């Protein structure tokens, strides 16, 4: 499966999260420790919010560890909200349009997991896309398809978190109607430039890993810890969604009471993660 990391907080250089840590996302591309697939070399991408309302992205098909342009970009770009993702393909082509994160308008999205039996279900799911969303579909992944289905609901007035969870539930129901026994596994991050939502969902009891870590200048969401201080990393419980608000350190609101308690930081308890 894929690996990803997201940051929300004060503007920092992308390299402080993506490249510099001992077990950074770039290193996870070569050797992930908490994934079914150790190597995630089927492309990568970063997406960040700057001075414009809509995010920028840089996506490639080569492994993250071999792209000098990625390192140069991460050394130069500062952002208070950014995503980074390394891909392990699950049945669709290794292509730039299939690399995460995906964007639509002001929204960014990335995903770790897959729709079980996707080839059998793909045509029916794509038929649900309105013309505008269908025209925006550039790749062939289940991840992009679920994102655009959620964007269709947002366009009709749904809240982003509710829209994505509804698409998850509707997809599981469609899988059941089609007699698909494989699970839908879904760890994902979604942002509109102000809020960040992180999801850890699955139709079985084995969702992809997902962690949250509070830091001195913001909050990190990641597929797996990237340093040795694992006590500071809080596992998102299966079935939970976390919402983080830009310009606030730590979570603004949480769906899960247990996670909310774990992330209730008192004065002086915050860990000064070395991000400048």
């Amino acid at each position: 499966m894929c690996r990803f990391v997201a940051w929300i907080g004060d503007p920092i250089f992308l390299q402080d999260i993506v490249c510099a840590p001992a077990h950074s996302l770039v290193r996870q591309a070569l050797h992930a420790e908490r994934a079914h697939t150790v190597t995630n070399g089927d492309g990568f991408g970063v997406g960040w919010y700057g001075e414009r309302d809509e995010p920028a992205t840089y996506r490639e098909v080569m492994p993250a560890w071999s792209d000098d342009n990625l390192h140069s970009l991460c050394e130069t770009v500062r952002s208070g909200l950014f995503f980074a993702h390394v891909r392990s393909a699950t049945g669709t082509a290794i292509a730039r349009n299939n690399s995460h994160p995906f964007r639509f308008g002001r929204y960014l999205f990335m995903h770790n997991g897959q729709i079980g039996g996707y080839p059998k279900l793909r045509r029916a799911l794509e038929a649900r896309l309105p013309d505008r969303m269908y025209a925006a579909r550039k790749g062939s992944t289940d991840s992009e398809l679920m994102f655009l289905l959620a964007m269709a609901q947002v366009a009709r007035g749904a809240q982003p978190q509710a829209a994505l969870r509804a698409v998850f539930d509707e997809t599981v129901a469609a899988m059941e109607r089609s007699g698909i026994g494989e699970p839908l596994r879904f760890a994902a991050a979604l942002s509109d430039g102000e809020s960040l939502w992180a999801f850890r969902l699955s139709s079985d009891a084995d969702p992809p890993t997902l962690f949250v870590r509070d830091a001195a200048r913001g909050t990190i969401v990641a597929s797996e810890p990237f340093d040795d201080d694992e006590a500071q990393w809080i596992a998102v419980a299966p079935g939970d969604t976390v919402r983080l608000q830009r310009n606030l350190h730590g979570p603004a609101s949480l769906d899960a009471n247990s996670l909310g308690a774990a992330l209730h930081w008192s004065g002086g308890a915050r860990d000064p993660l070395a991000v400048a």
Side-chain angles (χ1 to χ4, degrees), residues 32-194:
E33 295 182 351
R34 305 201 184 195
H36 295 298
T37 304
V38 173
T39 303
N40 299 273
D42 297 329
F44 69 86
V46 291
W48 66 96
Y49 290 89
E51 296 181 4
R52 298 180 183 274
D53 291 336
E54 296 186 1
T57 58
Y58 173 63
R59 302 185 296 169
E60 260 300 346
V61 296
M62 66 180 66
W65 66 80
S66 68
D67 188 343
D68 292 338
N69 289 327
L70 172 64
H71 291 268
S72 178
L73 185 150
C74 289
E75 289 172 357
T76 304
V77 173
R78 290 169 62 99
S79 174
L81 204 172
F82 60 83
F83 286 7
H85 184 282
V86 292
R87 184 175 182 235
S88 176
T90 54
T92 51
I94 299 172
R96 185 178 290 110
N97 284 336
N98 285 341
S99 294
H100 306 221
F102 303 102
R103 65 178 179 175
F104 183 84
R106 71 178 191 273
Y107 288 91
L108 269 181
F109 173 80
M110 59 186 176
H111 170 232
N112 170 30
Q114 65 185 107
I115 297 176
Y118 174 58
K120 183 177 180 180
L121 203 61
R122 176 178 170 180
R123 182 176 178 182
L125 292 179
E126 287 184 334
R128 299 181 181 181
L129 289 173
D131 290 345
R132 181 186 176 203
M133 306 303 170
Y134 189 84
R137 181 156 160 78
K138 305 302 182 184
S140 57
T141 65
D142 52 355
S143 305
E144 183 191 31
L145 178 53
M146 292 186 73
F147 171 48
L148 291 174
L149 287 168
M151 290 297 95
Q153 296 205 16
V154 170
R156 293 193 291 267
Q159 294 300 309
Q161 176 178 330
L164 202 49
R165 290 198 69 128
V167 168
F168 175 88
D169 291 339
E170 291 166 2
T171 304
V172 171
M175 293 168 66
E176 292 174 351
R177 290 193 299 270
S178 298
I180 295 172
E182 301 166 70
L184 167 52
R185 292 179 177 149
F186 189 85
L190 174 71
S191 180
D192 62 358
E194 296 297 330

Side-chain angles (χ1 to χ4, degrees), residues 8-25:
I8 184 168
D10 292 343
I12 63 171
F13 288 106
L14 274 60
Q15 73 165 359
D16 296 333
I17 299 295
V18 179
C19 307
H23 187 55
S24 69
L25 189 70

